Amino acid sequence: MRPELASYAASTETSRGRRFKEAPPRGRSEYQRDRDRIIHSTAFRRLEYKTQVFVNHEGDLFRTRLTHSLEVAQIGRSVARHLALDEDLTEAITLAHDLGHTPFGHTGQDALNACMKPHGGFEHNLQSLRVVDVLEQRYGAFDGLNLTFETREGVLKHCSLKNARQLGDVGERFIRKQRPSLEAQIANLADEIAYNNHDVDDGLRSGLLQMDQLSEVAIFRRHMRAALKEFPHIDGRRLVHETVRRMIDTLVTDLVRQSKACIRDAGPQTLDDVRRAPQMIRFSERIRLEQAELKRFLHTNLYRHYRVCRMSTKARRIVSDLFQAFFAEPQLLPPEFQARAREDTPRAIADYIAGMTDRYAIVEHRRLFAIDVS
Ligand code: MG
């Protein structure tokens, strides 16, 4: 049985609908249809071969953008259910939130943004929206996936005022300084819970982080002690997992409790009330500070680890080499992007590069630059 939803949850009845009118789905809700379209998209399958922190070929057990998105969806659904919000909308947003990511994680995004600076810039959030609105080509009647307004506004986590003015309906809230649905707010924090915790886990698995280093971080130390109190004999991967699962549980529980209190205080009745109110999905102050400490630790010790930096340097070079080569000679682009390039060359190149998986980008770089004389 579907639990009764709160009056301020997003719902099919109050939805602002799709850009192109379609008959209502049978046997599933509008937001379930959004989720299904996202799962069947090409961009979603590509997430399997796109980096979070570790490049895909560095090991089979590290998170990729696909497994990351699934973890975010799991956490998001749990929170949405506890708060009597629409789980399917949260799930659709979480599964789509990283569709616009370039190869090689944040390094790839920064490199592409640098190349695109004179041409309007590149931002992965906007690109995720562009993927679902324009770039997926699967339906006869329209470009993109024609998702509901609520899923699209959730995918567009943030954007500049300049871009917001060009985006029409989904840009409005940035101009009016309003919030998106609670389902979208959940997706945002579920993302944070997922990556902080899996980066700890992957960091330890890779050997770039050590347990004794991590025990300097309050939230990790507290949960490792709790795990050892219950299971004094465990160590290694089992101890890591027992610690990380306790951290995730604490964060989800705290998020639900604090958000319930915020919703009670603000007293929204409708989704429009939610949009006008301050952000209501939030951690308690104590947990927010602990999360900030963990983030700082990961920045210093994992994201700036020399082995991660070496890969980032190569990734940056690959992305900017590819961009320069296509910009100098757009005829090197595959035919479908050449057609797009006739309208806007830099944007067509950015779309092509952003759609690449890590290994495709590496292979494409080799195809364009390796001089094989044998
Ligand atoms: Mg993410």
Side-chain angles (χ1 to χ4, degrees):
M1 258 292 281
R2 227 175 127 81
E4 179 95 26
L5 295 188
S7 64
Y8 44 81
S11 76
T12 300
E13 291 81 59
T14 58
S15 172
R16 287 177 65 178
R18 299 173 191 277
R19 297 208 292 174
F20 302 92
K21 248 198 151 22
E22 292 186 69
R26 275 170 306 179
R28 53 182 176 162
S29 75
E30 295 284 3
Y31 302 132
Q32 285 175 316
R33 172 147 79 179
D34 282 359
R35 177 209 48 210
D36 299 347
R37 286 184 176 181
I38 292 159
I39 288 178
H40 289 277
S41 70
T42 310
F44 186 72
R45 282 194 298 284
R46 288 191 180 129
L47 295 176
E48 186 174 1
Y49 300 104
K50 291 197 185 200
T51 302
Q52 270 302 122
V53 174
F54 298 92
V55 171
N56 198 262
H57 60 75
E58 291 181 291
D60 291 342
L61 293 176
F62 297 126
R63 266 67 174 192
T64 66
R65 291 230 170 254
L66 180 65
T67 59
H68 162 70
S69 300
L70 296 175
E71 290 180 25
V72 180
Q74 180 274 317
I75 292 168
R77 287 193 73 129
S78 294
V79 177
R81 176 172 284 244
H82 274 294
L83 297 176
L85 296 166
D86 194 290
E87 278 182 61
D88 301 315
L89 173 58
T90 302
E91 187 180 24
I93 296 168
T94 53
L95 293 177
H97 86 283
D98 271 353
L99 289 180
H101 252 290
T102 60
F104 312 121
H106 283 280
T107 312
Q109 125 100 25
D110 293 346
L112 192 50
N113 187 29
C115 298
M116 286 293 287
K117 262 274 130 67
H119 318 288
F122 177 89
E123 213 274 301
H124 68 85
N125 260 302
L126 269 177
Q127 191 68 8
S128 295
L129 187 67
R130 192 166 156 77
V131 166
V132 300
D133 277 358
V134 181
L135 295 178
E136 282 287 322
Q137 310 230 310
R138 315 175 61 77
Y139 298 92
F142 43 77
D143 281 346
L145 304 177
N146 197 31
L147 303 179
T148 60
F149 174 84
E150 292 74 26
T151 300
R152 295 171 57 237
E153 85 166 342
V155 167
L156 191 65
K157 210 157 54 174
H158 35 73
C159 89
S160 67
L161 274 181
K162 185 169 151 266
N163 285 325
R165 286 192 199 100
Q166 290 163 13
L167 284 171
D169 55 2
V170 281
E172 279 169 22
R173 79 175 161 94
F174 298 97
I175 298 162
R176 293 192 194 153
K177 307 218 177 315
Q178 293 190 338
R179 257 60 48 198
S181 67
L182 294 173
E183 287 82 352
Q185 296 181 30
I186 290 174
N188 201 357
L189 286 167
D191 186 23
E192 189 177 321
I193 295 177
Y195 67 66
N196 280 334
N197 284 284
H198 63 50
D199 288 352
V200 166
D201 187 51
D202 281 353
L204 287 165
R205 187 187 296 278
S206 65
L208 301 192
L209 297 180
Q210 310 300 329
M211 286 295 255
D212 55 340
Q213 251 181 318
L214 262 160
S215 16
E216 293 162 19
V217 181
I219 195 166
F220 189 89
R221 183 171 59 240
R222 186 150 53 86
H223 291 95
M224 186 175 72
R225 283 187 186 151
L228 283 170
K229 197 166 172 211
E230 194 176 345
F231 304 109
H233 62 283
I234 60 168
D235 57 8
R237 292 300 310 163
R238 207 185 283 262
L239 178 57
V240 174
H241 180 67
E242 284 288 351
T243 306
V244 170
R245 82 184 183 89
R246 280 174 173 74
M247 291 203 293
I248 296 176
D249 185 62
T250 295
L251 294 168
V252 168
T253 310
D254 181 81
L255 189 62
V256 168
R257 194 181 301 135
Q258 186 65 35
S259 305
K260 264 188 188 158
C262 290
I263 294 169
R264 203 176 42 231
D265 291 348
Q269 298 300 313
T270 65
L271 177 51
D272 280 335
D273 293 344
V274 167
R275 292 197 167 110
R276 283 187 293 263
Q279 179 165 329
M280 283 181 269
I281 302 296
R282 41 190 347 142
F283 292 117
S284 66
E285 193 53 16
R286 178 194 179 194
I287 291 290
R288 195 187 64 75
L289 290 172
E290 280 190 348
Q291 284 284 90
E293 186 200 7
L294 175 61
K295 254 188 224 181
R296 279 196 303 276
F297 173 89
L298 289 170
H299 263 279
T300 315
N301 297 287
L302 182 62
Y303 310 142
R304 288 195 215 128
H305 193 286
Y306 82 96
R307 274 171 55 199
V308 173
C309 289
R310 278 185 192 182
M311 195 60 230
S312 303
T313 300
K314 278 194 252 181
R316 208 172 297 125
R317 196 172 310 142
I318 290 173
V319 168
S320 69
D321 282 354
L322 288 176
F323 189 91
Q324 309 310 338
F326 292 127
F327 195 66
E329 294 177 79
Q331 66 274 23
L332 299 177
L333 287 165
E336 64 271 32
F337 289 93
Q338 280 191 37
R340 217 180 269 283
R342 281 192 279 279
E343 284 162 38
D344 184 343
T345 307
R347 191 57 58 190
I349 298 170
D351 287 341
Y352 181 45
I353 294 177
M356 293 178 184
T357 61
D358 297 352
R359 62 179 178 186
Y360 185 91
I362 293 168
V363 170
E364 186 75 336
H365 189 268
R366 203 174 297 145
R367 278 198 289 255
L368 287 172
F369 291 97
I371 298 172
D372 188 354
V373 287
S374 63

